[in-house]
Amino acid sequence: MAAESFAPIIAAYDALKTSSTSTHKEQALEYLKEFQKSKEAWNTTHGILNNPEISGDIKIFAATTLKGKIVYDLDQLPREQVVPLRDSVLSLCSKYTAGPKPVRTQLCVCLANLAIQMTEWKDVLQLVGSRLGSGAGECVLEFLQVLPEEVTEGRKINLSEEDLNSRTKELLEENAGQVLQLLINYSASSGEVKASRYELGIANEVPAQAARDPHLLQCITSWLREIPVASIVKSSLLEVVVHGISNEASFDASVDCLSAMFNDTREVDESLDVIQVLFPHVLSLRSKIQEAADSEDSETYKGLTRIFAEAGEAWVVLIARSPTDFHGLVEAIVECCARDKDRDALSVTFNFWYDLKQLLTLERYEQARGIYSNTYSSLVDIMIKHLEFPTPEGGDDKDLFEGDRELEENFREFRHKMGDVLKDCCEVINVTICLQKAFNLIQHWISTYASQASNNRVPHWQKLEAPLFALRAMGRMVSPEESQVLHQVIPLLVQIPDHEKLRFQAIMAIGRYTEWTAQHPEFLQPQLNFVVNAFGYSSIEVVRAAALAFRFFGGDCRELLRDEIGNLHSFYDSVLDRLPVQSQEEVTEGAAQVISAQTSDKIYAALKLYCDPIIERIRLRAQKAKSGDDKDEHELADTIGLITIFVNNVQPYHEPNEINQSVTYCQEIMPVLATVINNFSSTPVLEAVCRCWRSMVLAYRVAILPIVPDLARELQSGFERTHKGCFLWTTDAVLREFALGAEHVDATTTSAIYQFFEQQVYSFLRVMSDVAPQDLPDVIEDFFRLLIGALTFFHPQLLTGGLCPQILNASTAALVLEQGSPVITTLHFLRDFLSYGTDSPTSSSFADDTPTSTSTISQAQTKDSVRTIVSSQGEELTRRVLTGMMFSFPSDCNQDASGVMLGLFQIMPQDTAVWIKNTIDLLPLGSVKAGEGQRLLKAVAERLQTGEFKEIRWVLQDFCTGYRRRNVAPRDGLGGLEARRFRFKG
């Protein structure tokens, strides 16, 4: 075929890569997708791959397309054409033995997938070896490498589970011994066999050329899934793998192979013989650590660190059980940490230190803990050293990373991971020892450099900042009763030199030890003064740290500070408007915690003292925000959020018959919040008010009852006016708190709450009748969350009420959405709803002993009601769920969607099978493979007979996944599968 015949494909591919307009790219992508799914692609891809005039990129695309056709579309070919296809792919593999490698790889994947699906092909290895010939060793190796990988990914293959398991056994298990011998033979013949005493100090006949072949090593790694690692270790292949570490070309492949071997020996008792062989080889690599560090070969250093660390992870039980025998491996990992100047490989060891800590802290390994105590002590010193910020070459402390902000952010995150290792050390060797090490470094800096420090210059500040960070990181591990180090450290922290990063770290460290301070009140005032003074610092980072520390002081030291409520308010009111939003929230939480420590008779006055100025700010900002400016509206919302923080934190205990002073204050501010609701339609503002109201309900529970009538009116009118979902999730809180059977809630109240809920449902259904679901995704999500709560607490009334059929109709209509969250929430509601049609409902509590009009509603009645509704609407629901799975649902919805189908089968199995058949019959002509629909219906029928409803779920998922891969929604619509518009009849 001439290159001109492929011009449209080449043009589309070039447009996809080079076009500057998104429209052209979208058109090109759509064209190529359609081509890849077409029958013509079989011949066209072969033509491209056999044409020497076509460029490499197009050939890679052709090979990739051919792979997709074999994986997903093999049914497009008559069965008698499959063998010629295999022979053609073998010829292409032979043609591309020398490369390009991406094309050869895709062709090997093609061949592997043919081998999986051609169950009649029994001599796979023999035929591939004979057809490709002795000169195609690299191609044969690559085929052997990808075969186990493709088999283990076999769920995407159109084979039954039984056939796939059988084929896996034939291709892998039964060929493992043959492949092992083939690899041994290949390693022995792939170059001159030389005797050498290489760097590991092991004299042996080593196939030097084989050890330089990464493909051989990759093939060994791949087949470790099937070949026992013991067989590899007993063969000459082990020497190939280990020798590959000394070769640059095969180094990475050797590291991967050793890593796979370690992973296969995690069951140490079963693998002891293998570990005894591998361990000396691993330990003999230790000399290479210094070599790689001295030569600044970071890639080699990372690979070596990975070998030691992953060996340690795999054998960690033996390391703890036999510390003397394995101490050398642990020391090698410590050395990897110590010599890693660039910190590139350090993180590879973190899992090992955690795993070993988990064992050493067990009583049975107490002896090992003593042996490794020096190791962990050294690790503390190493980690603190690595915590140091870099020293800039130009001496500019404001640009430590030469303008690379991403590098700076990564380093900050990495420090916290090193901090986790320090926590591990604290658990192994005692936190006091770790604290003492940090304290000693601080003292050393003070004695060496403190006299040279000034307001403009702090010499070697990095050496002081690192132990300060370490103190902060270890804070969670320190007991409030610690009595040896902290009483020396804390006074030093408040005298730290005036340097931005030192001041920041000192404040953060102080914030970590507020629990300790609460038990040592003599240290409180200097620390609090230090933190309060930091609010005037020029650096916003220092101010943020001070706000966070103030929050911790308010929480942990609230009993010590409760008499300072007036002074703290003066401070709070003076700094609040100068802080960024997050810091405002943190300072507010600290103040609220102090208020919560007041006696109950003082709560109301304290709330008025702190919250009245905020309410005044809300009034002023509401007036300002009426202009519609987004910034003003967000400021208003953030200010309302401060009231919510007070509500969440000030929750004094009151007897049920006592007046709750917090609720009294909430009653006072209710009109202000209602006025805001009635004057704004901005989502941030409305959500802020609703969040505040919701917090009141959750915080004060039944005590909030005096406010509930007004609250219900505002929620109802607010939703009718704005159609915002926040009113529904606040309704959900009210519904749950005043549910049937709730403590201290009478039947009259519960009945009124349910009527309020029904009004919200009516309002939503009217909205959904007027507005397309695509314009209401968030509201739909909130509505069905509300319904999930209603099903839990009011299922008798809801399921037997007149609204239930309309609700199910609305839920079915909502499944046209393509956003994950609302679809998943709707599916969750449907699964819960359908469960009430079975003998195992989601909530089985029926309040038969509660004296209400609903007490006579039995489980049998609700069950019959659900079945009646499903019998009339089940077919449409089935159609919508399957259509979503085949065309529109995000992939993470399929689990819940198939769960809905399972629920339908559990209620009405035979009817559901008919509904599935009717849905399949409505699919676009030609979109279902020949016989595929019949196979699906047969599989469903077989499982119906055996009662394996859960198996039907997976059958449907597999069918829909395969269908979706091959098809896109037709541009002219889905015909009989198109969704019906919801219309509310009420």
Side-chain angles (χ1 to χ4, degrees):
M1 298 175 73
E4 292 78 14
S5 59
F6 312 123
I9 296 168
I10 295 173
Y13 186 83
D14 289 342
L16 190 63
K17 297 192 70 176
T18 62
S19 178
S20 58
T21 63
S22 59
T23 302
H24 287 166
K25 287 187 175 183
E26 289 172 5
Q27 290 173 346
L29 181 62
E30 191 64 32
Y31 175 83
L32 292 175
K33 281 183 177 179
E34 290 299 319
F35 162 72
Q36 288 180 313
K37 294 174 182 178
S38 68
K39 290 183 178 180
E40 291 73 23
W42 291 105
N43 290 328
T44 303
T45 52
H46 277 76
I48 292 173
L49 290 167
N50 281 307
N51 194 312
E53 302 174 11
I54 294 177
S55 69
D57 284 352
I58 302 296
K59 288 185 175 180
I60 294 172
F61 169 74
T64 304
T65 299
L66 181 58
K67 177 195 74 175
K69 300 298 290 180
I70 291 172
V71 171
Y72 298 107
D73 297 334
L74 197 59
D75 282 356
Q76 287 182 346
L77 297 178
R79 198 64 191 172
E80 63 270 15
Q81 291 185 17
V82 175
V83 172
L85 171 65
R86 178 199 65 188
D87 295 341
S88 174
V89 173
L90 280 167
S91 298
L92 288 171
C93 286
S94 181
K95 178 183 180 72
Y96 286 95
T97 293
K101 187 178 183 303
V103 176
R104 186 183 70 202
T105 299
Q106 292 300 319
L107 291 172
C108 288
V109 173
C110 289
L111 196 57
N113 279 283
L114 279 172
I116 297 168
Q117 295 184 77
M118 293 178 66
T119 54
E120 70 278 11
W121 184 11
K122 303 299 182 182
D123 59 341
V124 173
L125 298 188
Q126 295 90 331
L127 183 64
V128 170
S130 63
R131 288 290 299 272
L132 295 183
S134 58
E138 293 292 303
C139 192
V140 173
L141 281 178
E142 189 152 19
F143 169 74
L144 289 176
Q145 177 192 337
V146 301
L147 182 61
E149 297 168 359
E150 293 302 308
V151 171
T152 55
E153 296 295 322
R155 280 209 65 82
K156 65 188 178 184
I157 296 294
N158 192 22
L159 287 179
S160 69
E161 215 44 60
E162 184 180 347
D163 288 343
L164 183 58
N165 290 336
S166 174
R167 196 58 175 156
T168 299
K169 183 177 180 182
E170 288 178 355
L171 291 175
L172 301 185
E173 294 178 36
E174 295 176 4
N175 282 324
Q178 183 181 347
V179 170
L180 174 62
Q181 192 58 51
L182 189 153
L183 295 176
I184 293 171
N185 294 342
Y186 180 86
S187 68
S189 63
S190 61
E192 183 183 356
V193 179
K194 300 180 180 179
S196 65
R197 185 179 295 273
Y198 52 92
E199 289 87 337
L200 297 178
I202 302 171
N204 204 341
E205 289 284 311
V206 178
Q209 185 63 34
R212 290 195 291 269
D213 189 345
H215 296 110
L216 173 60
L217 295 164
Q218 290 163 357
C219 194
I220 295 171
T221 302
S222 184
W223 275 88
L224 275 168
R225 305 162 193 247
E226 297 299 329
I227 300 174
V229 66
S231 300
I232 301 290
V233 166
K234 291 174 184 176
S235 73
S236 59
L237 293 177
L238 177 61
E239 304 301 333
V240 174
V241 174
V242 177
H243 191 58
I245 295 294
S246 302
N247 187 276
E248 183 178 354
S250 58
F251 177 80
D252 290 337
S254 286
V255 172
D256 289 339
C257 195
L258 283 172
S259 174
M261 288 184 179
F262 300 151
N263 192 55
D264 281 355
T265 58
R266 284 181 177 269
E267 299 295 331
V268 293
D269 291 320
E270 299 173 8
S271 308
L272 203 54
D273 292 343
V274 174
I275 294 171
Q276 288 173 343
V277 175
L278 286 174
F279 181 69
H281 287 279
V282 173
L283 209 58
S284 63
L285 293 171
R286 185 173 176 181
S287 61
K288 291 182 173 290
I289 299 173
Q290 183 173 349
E291 293 175 16
D294 292 345
S295 63
E296 299 183 351
D297 185 348
S298 62
E299 293 304 314
T300 299
Y301 196 92
K302 280 192 280 190
L304 291 169
T305 303
R306 183 181 163 200
I307 289 173
F308 290 115
E310 293 191 10
E313 287 181 53
W315 305 336
V316 67
V317 173
L318 289 179
I319 291 172
R321 191 187 294 168
S322 306
T324 304
D325 295 336
F326 286 87
H327 196 268
L329 177 58
V330 178
E331 289 300 311
I333 300 173
V334 171
E335 184 179 351
C336 287
C337 293
R339 295 185 183 277
D340 188 14
K341 297 179 223 176
D342 297 328
R343 309 180 188 93
D344 289 334
L346 198 60
S347 62
V348 176
T349 70
F350 291 169
N351 284 343
F352 167 73
W353 295 122
Y354 174 79
D355 290 345
L356 184 57
K357 178 266 297 185
Q358 291 289 84
L359 293 176
L360 295 181
T361 50
L362 299 176
E363 186 176 348
R364 66 184 297 185
Y365 296 119
E366 189 173 351
Q367 180 187 0
R369 184 175 181 173
I371 292 174
Y372 290 124
S373 60
N374 288 336
T375 300
Y376 273 88
S377 179
S378 300
L379 189 61
V380 174
D381 299 327
I382 292 167
M383 288 298 151
I384 294 179
K385 179 63 180 174
H386 282 312
L387 285 171
E388 291 182 11
F389 272 99
T391 302
E393 293 182 6
D396 183 5
D397 282 351
K398 294 181 179 179
D399 192 13
L400 300 173
F401 295 89
E402 299 178 351
D404 191 334
R405 296 303 168 211
E406 182 179 356
L407 182 62
E408 181 176 2
E409 187 58 35
N410 289 342
F411 178 67
R412 290 179 188 274
E413 292 177 8
F414 186 55
R415 294 178 100 204
H416 289 288
K417 295 177 182 176
M418 288 190 277
D420 291 337
V421 177
L422 287 174
K423 295 183 184 75
D424 295 336
C425 296
C426 289
E427 293 192 63
V428 174
I429 62 172
N430 187 296
V431 68
T432 299
I433 295 174
C434 299
L435 284 177
Q436 187 67 51
K437 285 178 173 290
F439 176 55
N440 290 343
L441 290 170
I442 293 171
Q443 283 188 311
H444 176 73
W445 186 92
I446 291 172
S447 62
T448 308
Y449 302 112
S451 61
Q452 305 172 36
S454 65
N455 289 335
N456 298 322
R457 180 177 176 274
V458 179
H460 301 285
W461 61 267
Q462 292 92 336
K463 297 183 181 301
L464 176 57
E465 194 271 350
L468 289 175
F469 183 95
L471 282 175
R472 168 190 167 192
M474 295 184 288
R476 186 165 59 85
M477 311 304 298
V478 181
S479 166
E481 286 80 30
E482 202 283 327
S483 59
Q484 298 182 42
V485 181
L486 286 182
H487 70 282
Q488 302 176 72
V489 171
I490 296 297
L492 293 180
L493 295 181
V494 299
Q495 301 176 51
I496 224 70
D498 187 11
H499 182 284
E500 177 185 349
K501 284 188 166 49
L502 296 178
R503 186 64 59 95
F504 171 84
Q505 215 55 257
I507 292 170
M508 293 295 285
I510 284 173
R512 282 288 188 175
Y513 292 95
T514 49
E515 285 187 58
W516 182 88
T517 302
Q519 297 201 22
H520 300 81
E522 66 273 21
F523 292 92
L524 171 60
Q525 200 59 51
Q527 293 182 81
L528 190 59
N529 291 340
F530 184 72
V531 169
V532 168
N533 291 335
F535 281 89
Y537 205 82
S538 58
S539 166
I540 189 62
E541 293 300 322
V542 172
V543 173
R544 289 179 189 273
L548 183 60
F550 186 84
R551 171 190 159 203
F552 292 136
F553 274 108
D556 295 328
C557 303
R558 55 183 177 273
E559 296 294 337
L560 299 177
L561 293 171
R562 67 179 181 179
D563 293 335
E564 299 294 325
I565 196 80
N567 293 332
L568 287 178
H569 172 259
S570 299
F571 156 73
Y572 174 76
D573 200 49
S574 67
V575 303
L576 187 62
D577 293 331
R578 295 190 278 113
L579 299 176
V581 172
Q582 183 177 344
S583 297
Q584 286 183 359
E585 293 170 352
E586 289 165 347
V587 172
T588 299
E589 184 176 338
Q593 291 275 8
V594 176
I595 293 176
S596 72
Q598 304 299 303
T599 55
S600 59
D601 60 316
K602 295 181 180 179
I603 290 289
Y604 175 76
L607 281 173
K608 278 192 71 67
L609 177 65
Y610 277 79
C611 294
D612 275 2
I614 298 176
I615 292 296
E616 185 58 31
R617 287 178 172 91
I618 291 173
R619 285 195 181 99
L620 294 173
R621 287 175 181 170
Q623 192 65 34
K624 182 181 178 185
K626 283 184 178 179
S627 62
D629 183 86
D630 284 350
K631 182 182 177 184
D632 292 338
E633 289 178 347
H634 279 89
E635 284 184 358
L636 173 59
D638 293 336
T639 308
I640 296 169
L642 301 182
I643 297 294
T644 305
I645 292 172
F646 279 105
V647 170
N648 287 332
N649 287 278
V650 184
Q651 300 177 21
Y653 174 76
H654 289 274
E655 292 294 338
N657 58 346
E658 291 181 342
I659 296 175
N660 188 313
Q661 291 200 8
S662 296
V663 174
T664 301
Y665 186 74
C666 290
Q667 283 181 284
E668 284 189 16
I669 65 175
M670 186 73 184
V672 177
L673 298 177
T675 300
V676 172
I677 281 285
N678 292 320
N679 284 280
F680 286 89
S681 58
S682 161
T683 298
V685 174
L686 297 180
E687 287 187 351
V689 175
C690 285
R691 191 176 293 111
C692 186
W693 283 342
R694 186 174 187 272
S695 294
M696 291 177 186
V697 174
L698 298 177
Y700 307 127
R701 314 200 70 166
V702 294
I704 202 72
L705 190 57
I707 300 178
V708 169
D710 291 336
L711 177 59
R713 278 193 297 273
E714 295 300 337
L715 292 175
Q716 187 177 333
S717 63
F719 181 71
E720 287 179 351
R721 183 175 63 85
T722 67
H723 305 162
K724 299 292 185 182
C726 55
F727 294 97
L728 297 179
W729 50 256
T730 306
T731 300
D732 180 55
V734 176
L735 190 73
R736 290 170 184 267
E737 289 301 326
F738 295 93
L740 191 67
E743 192 176 9
H744 306 301
V745 179
D746 59 38
T748 303
T749 300
T750 299
S751 178
I753 293 297
Y754 187 74
Q755 290 175 21
F756 158 57
F757 159 73
E758 282 192 321
Q759 287 302 314
Q760 295 292 68
V761 174
Y762 273 112
S763 297
F764 172 82
L765 294 177
R766 282 194 291 268
V767 171
M768 193 168 174
S769 183
D770 296 335
V771 182
Q774 290 84 349
D775 297 325
L776 295 169
D778 296 336
V779 185
I780 287 173
E781 179 181 354
D782 292 324
F783 176 71
F784 285 106
R785 287 194 193 282
L786 170 62
L787 282 177
I788 290 170
L791 274 177
T792 302
F793 298 106
F794 290 91
H795 43 267
Q797 299 97 314
L798 179 62
L799 295 173
T800 59
L803 279 176
C804 197
Q806 304 243 43
I807 290 172
L808 185 63
N809 193 357
S811 68
T812 303
L815 295 179
V816 300
L817 292 173
E818 298 181 8
Q819 298 95 326
S821 194
V823 170
I824 287 176
T825 303
T826 306
L827 293 171
H828 283 178
F829 162 74
L830 286 167
R831 294 184 69 177
D832 287 353
F833 167 80
L834 293 170
S835 76
Y836 288 94
T838 71
D839 294 326
S840 302
T842 301
S843 174
S844 59
S845 58
F846 285 81
D848 296 329
D849 58 345
T850 304
T852 70
S853 60
T854 63
S855 62
T856 58
I857 300 175
S858 67
Q859 184 169 351
Q861 286 175 287
T862 61
K863 185 176 177 180
D864 290 342
S865 178
V866 170
R867 287 171 174 264
T868 300
I869 296 169
V870 170
S871 67
S872 64
Q873 299 190 38
E875 182 163 12
E876 179 62 20
L877 176 59
T878 299
R879 192 176 300 153
R880 287 271 51 77
V881 171
L882 290 180
T883 301
M885 292 175 71
M886 289 186 286
F887 291 106
S888 61
F889 289 168
S891 59
D892 56 355
C893 296
N894 286 342
Q895 190 85 352
D896 287 306
S898 64
V900 172
M901 296 306 304
L902 173 61
L904 288 169
F905 272 109
Q906 289 171 330
I907 295 175
M908 308 183 74
Q910 300 300 331
D911 294 295
T912 305
V914 173
W915 296 336
I916 290 175
K917 178 184 182 303
N918 294 343
T919 301
I920 300 300
D921 289 344
L922 290 173
L923 288 170
L925 190 64
S927 65
V928 181
K929 293 180 179 180
E932 189 175 19
Q934 288 76 12
R935 281 197 299 271
L936 169 66
L937 298 174
K938 180 183 177 184
V940 169
E942 289 173 351
R943 285 157 179 80
L944 275 180
Q945 288 181 349
T946 59
E948 297 175 287
F949 295 152
K950 290 185 178 179
E951 290 297 316
I952 297 177
R953 179 179 183 176
W954 310 125
V955 169
L956 287 173
Q957 270 192 225
D958 288 348
F959 172 82
C960 292
T961 300
Y963 182 90
R964 186 167 189 168
R965 210 294 308 175
R966 297 188 304 271
N967 299 279
V968 294
R971 292 187 180 89
D972 55 352
L974 294 171
L977 294 177
E978 285 289 354
R980 299 174 187 171
R981 180 69 182 272
F982 171 73
R983 297 298 179 192
F984 180 48
K985 301 171 185 176

